[in-house]
Amino acid sequence: MSEKKRVLTGITTSGIPHIGNLAGAILPAIKASKDELTDSFLFLADYHSLIKNNDPDLTYTSSFEIAACWVACGLDPKEVIFYRQSDVPHIMELTWILGCLTSKGLMNRAHAYKAAVFENEKNDPDKGITMGLFNYPVLMAADILMFNADVVPVGQDQKQHVEMTRDIALRFNHHYGEVFTIPDVSIEEDAGVLPGTDGRKMSKSYQNVIPIFLKKDDLRKRIMKIKTDSKEPGEPKEINESSIFSIYRAFASDNQTKNLANQYQEGIAWGEAKELLFELLEEKINPFRKNYEELIKDRSGLEKILLLGAQKALDVSTPIIIKVRQAVGIREFGD
Ligand code: TRP
């Protein structure tokens, strides 16, 4: 592997992605992965998904669908190291080693854990809290340090985990000698947060999402359901309060956006605005949908892609885990 900067990020494999994820995370990450000056590591965090659910069918299906989704939307496995976390067992090994050096007090401060305890406040503070949730930041540190990543692009909600990773890596290096790169966090702006069909933030928990791979007719129906105010055709309309406009802008060129803003001024009917949004989305999504339908017909084809990615990942992790084992004193007996 070259001296290029290593950029690494993980995708938790739960839930099927919607167009908010597409505009805010998937397309920007795919674009960034084409940067020639970096080596890009992108992985399916399938062991993280067990923190959120214990349903084997859901775990399997989400992992497959999300892998297919990323490839369908243009991720080129030749340009990135694209792998499943579970195909790199070194990560699990490192999780244990790091856990034995991580103070419990640091984990007590993790947001996800604290939020779960807070919910419980009046009852038993440990109710429903698994060791998986408690150890989540250590697993994430292992994901990152296993490849000596230089930069970790994440959303604001994950910043603390990368800071904890830095703490853990510094502590390891201080105690056992320099093994790990101290990673920098790169925070992605929230530009990708789109409103859903009810005007609130597009989110699975509000059931207001537009999934990426709806069939054409269903996509149209979903768009026609977007809530608007009751302004009549001919009345000027406000772009800032319009979900239709926000979603349109996220996928349109500057010119298209300007045109739609003018039409709002001129009093476009809501039905017409929805039709324009549908046409734009259909044009963008159609090629992705076609790819997706091909990919899900050929599970073993996708498996092959991931196994090639795993091999590339293992080529990077193997020398590092050997160094780690040496450093902590787990090594062959001999002179
Ligand atoms: N926890 C991250 C999330 O929920 C996903 C993730 C897992 C990740 N391991 C990672 C992100 C390592 C960056 C680096 O979004």
Side-chain angles (χ1 to χ4, degrees), residues 12 26 52 104 107 122 160 210 215 229 274 282 289 292 310:
T12 300
I26 300 176
K52 300 195 180 169
K104 178 169 174 287
M107 294 301 98
K122 289 188 194 78
Q160 187 196 34
I210 303 177
K215 296 228 163 9
D229 61 26
K274 287 178 179 176
E282 177 55 26
R289 189 194 289 125
Y292 186 76

Side-chain angles (χ1 to χ4, degrees), residues 77-297:
K78 288 194 285 304
E79 285 172 335
V80 236
I81 304 189
F82 181 53
Y83 56 100
R84 251 180 321 224
Q85 184 185 32
S86 57
D87 283 332
V88 185
H90 297 151
I91 296 170
M92 286 301 123
E93 185 178 344
L94 184 59
T95 302
W96 180 258
I97 296 173
L98 297 178
C100 293
L101 204 81
T102 303
S103 64
K104 178 169 174 287
L106 182 68
M107 294 301 98
N108 286 342
R109 293 197 285 277
H111 296 316
Y113 168 69
K114 271 194 357 195
V117 174
F118 183 76
E119 290 286 313
N120 286 338
E121 204 74 277
K122 289 188 194 78
N123 317 314
D124 169 9
D126 292 334
K127 185 164 171 254
I129 294 174
T130 61
M131 286 305 295
L133 176 64
F134 192 64
N135 278 334
Y136 167 15
V138 183
L139 177 56
M140 195 153 148
D143 290 332
I144 296 168
L145 301 178
M146 191 68 268
F147 299 94
N148 271 338
D150 297 292
V151 183
V152 183
V154 285
Q156 184 66 37
D157 64 323
Q158 297 292 319
K159 183 171 174 229
Q160 187 196 34
H161 294 142
V162 184
E163 285 164 356
M164 289 176 157
T165 302
R166 292 170 60 91
D167 279 0
I168 294 170
L170 284 166
R171 190 164 172 148
F172 187 101
N173 286 353
H174 181 72
H175 188 82
Y176 289 119
E178 292 288 317
V179 174
F180 294 123
T181 303
I182 311 300
D184 286 322
V185 63
S186 146
I187 300 296
E188 293 168 334
E189 295 307 324
D190 261 359
V193 175
L194 292 187
T197 50
D198 61 358
R200 292 185 292 175
K201 173 185 165 203
M202 191 178 292
S203 160
K204 251 191 326 178
S205 42
Y206 295 149
Q207 302 193 327
N208 64 358
V209 305
I210 303 177
I212 305 176
F213 297 117
L214 286 176
K215 296 228 163 9
K216 185 174 174 184
D217 287 348
D218 294 327
L219 176 64
R220 194 163 186 284
K221 276 189 210 142
R222 196 66 70 102
I223 290 170
M224 294 304 152
K225 279 200 196 125
I226 296 177
K227 281 213 181 107
T228 62
D229 61 26
S230 54
K231 291 213 170 78
E232 301 283 338
E235 277 185 76
K237 298 182 172 61
E238 191 51 60
I239 56 173
N240 292 324
E241 288 154 24
S242 166
S243 307
I244 301 171
F245 189 83
S246 303
I247 300 173
Y248 189 90
R249 183 175 45 199
F251 292 94
S253 68
D254 290 349
N255 252 340
Q256 287 173 311
T257 306
K258 250 187 240 152
N259 281 340
L260 187 65
N262 286 339
Q263 288 176 283
Y264 266 56
Q265 271 292 322
E266 289 159 9
I268 187 173
W270 284 128
E272 246 179 281
K274 287 178 179 176
E275 197 59 44
L276 289 177
L277 175 60
F278 165 68
E279 280 165 20
L280 177 75
L281 282 180
E282 177 55 26
E283 181 196 322
K284 298 280 165 193
I285 289 175
N286 184 285
F288 300 156
R289 189 194 289 125
K290 282 198 182 134
N291 293 340
Y292 186 76
E293 280 163 7
E294 286 304 309
L295 282 159
I296 59 175
K297 272 194 255 161

